[in-house]
Amino acid sequence: MTRIALVTGGMGGLGEAICIKLAALGYHVVTTYSPGNKKAAEWLASMKESGFNFHAYPCDVSDYDSARQCVAIIEKEIGPVDVLVNNAGITRDVTFKKMEKTDWDEVMATNLDSVFNMTKPVCDGMVERGWGRIINISSVNGQKGAFGQTNYSAAKAGMHGFTKALALEVARKAVTVNTISPGYIGTKMVTAIPQEVLDTKIIPQIPMGRLGKPEEIAGLVAYLSSDEAAFLTGANIAINGGQHMY
Ligand code: NDP
């Protein structure tokens, strides 16, 4: 039986690595992209050239109706979702003093409301079928806070509260819910930070002395998605090169 994995934001740095890893392990991988993303067809074609036949659907994860409709189409055209990876996310970094309400609202909607929006339409089916994996991609900055990220840190910390509460509710039905908190990973979200800031402020805080690789996060997603991880639920797994230990 081929399991279906839905990865939100699969065309971003981490999402792509997660899609590739799960596909290589034999999952039927479906992903989403923002409705305005004009590069979706190009991405799908380049993945196909590399041997990955992904399905991708437009979905604004910050919008409940869009998420619900997207899941309904996926379930009709592909099948029920066995593994959900809530990966899509954004930053709107600015100090609290200068933060506008829109900076707060957009980050909360895309990074935290999205977890409700995407999980709600798939969770009951997982419970009914007696198997499921929900994996929420949070951040080290949700664990320790970060200057200029009150919005992002709050949303990412909120994700883990959701993880723990839902994990309790669905544990008896063999559905696991976990959070992954990556440190700084070399994707465009991080390489958009000026090189000087990376070199002088960020990398010196990482005992490994480097950014993480998307594949390193994808490997952990693969494990959490597996049957071997059946007893692991409600956890927040840090993967940050030693930057933050708790
Ligand atoms: P990217 O910016 O490369 O990718 C983000 C993805 O989210 C894109 O595919 C984007 O899709 C999607 N997305 C954004 N807004 C929406 C929306 N409203 N609806 C649907 N999709 C949306 O980021 P990363 O790959 O670096 O990050 C992935 C996740 O990992 C994020 O949640 C991030 O917070 C988290 N993370 C990243 C770290 C890092 O160092 N890179 C560290 C810790 C956590 P589209 O392009 O189509 O808009």
Side-chain angles (χ1 to χ4, degrees):
M1 178 204 55
T2 303
R3 289 195 166 127
I4 297 173
L6 171 57
V7 180
T8 64
M11 296 177 196
L14 279 189
E16 180 181 295
I18 294 167
C19 289
I20 288 173
K21 180 72 181 178
L22 293 179
L25 291 170
Y27 291 84
H28 192 140
V29 176
V30 187
T31 190
T32 70
Y33 55 94
S34 296
N37 185 339
K38 301 217 164 39
K39 296 202 168 146
E42 203 181 297
W43 181 85
L44 279 169
S46 79
M47 286 290 122
K48 200 164 187 180
E49 261 176 41
S50 310
F52 298 104
N53 201 7
F54 296 135
H55 294 268
Y57 292 85
C59 176
D60 178 358
V61 297
S62 68
D63 180 86
Y64 180 55
D65 288 335
S66 175
R68 213 167 38 85
Q69 282 159 17
C70 176
V71 170
I73 294 169
I74 291 168
E75 298 210 323
K76 188 162 170 253
E77 295 185 358
I78 316 278
V81 175
D82 300 300
V83 177
L84 170 66
V85 185
N86 283 310
N87 164 76
I90 57 167
T91 49
R92 295 285 181 269
D93 295 355
V94 60
T95 57
F96 187 66
K97 190 177 170 63
K98 294 187 183 152
M99 189 173 287
E100 303 284 346
K101 180 75 163 69
T102 49
D103 299 320
W104 175 267
D105 289 344
E106 284 173 23
V107 167
M108 294 307 280
T110 308
N111 295 8
L112 184 58
D113 291 359
S114 60
V115 176
F116 173 85
N117 296 342
M118 296 304 300
T119 306
K120 184 73 181 158
V122 303
C123 188
D124 285 353
M126 290 178 178
V127 165
E128 276 158 29
R129 294 188 301 277
W131 199 93
R133 300 283 184 266
I134 296 165
I135 300 164
N136 296 319
I137 307 295
S138 177
S139 166
V140 64
N141 292 343
Q143 298 179 295
K144 68 171 194 52
F147 191 95
Q149 287 196 326
T150 49
N151 50 2
Y152 186 81
S153 299
K156 292 299 193 182
M159 276 178 136
H160 190 54
F162 173 94
T163 288
K164 290 187 284 187
L166 185 61
L168 290 173
E169 294 185 20
V170 297
R172 285 290 173 110
K173 298 293 180 185
V175 178
T176 68
V177 192
N178 289 290
T179 304
I180 294 177
S181 288
Y184 287 87
I185 311 298
T187 69
K188 73 175 186 311
M189 186 179 271
V190 165
T191 49
I193 299 170
Q195 192 61 41
E196 197 236 323
V197 177
L198 280 174
D199 290 342
T200 59
K201 299 218 161 68
I202 293 179
I203 293 180
Q205 292 173 25
I206 305 173
M208 294 268 177
R210 65 168 175 89
L211 299 177
K213 298 176 188 158
E215 296 74 23
E216 290 167 332
I217 307 303
L220 181 54
V221 172
Y223 174 65
L224 290 176
S225 303
S226 71
D227 282 318
E228 288 88 335
F231 203 52
L232 204 176
T233 197
N236 185 0
I237 305 178
I239 176 162
N240 59 36
Q243 186 192 352
H244 181 67
M245 303 180 190
Y246 60 100

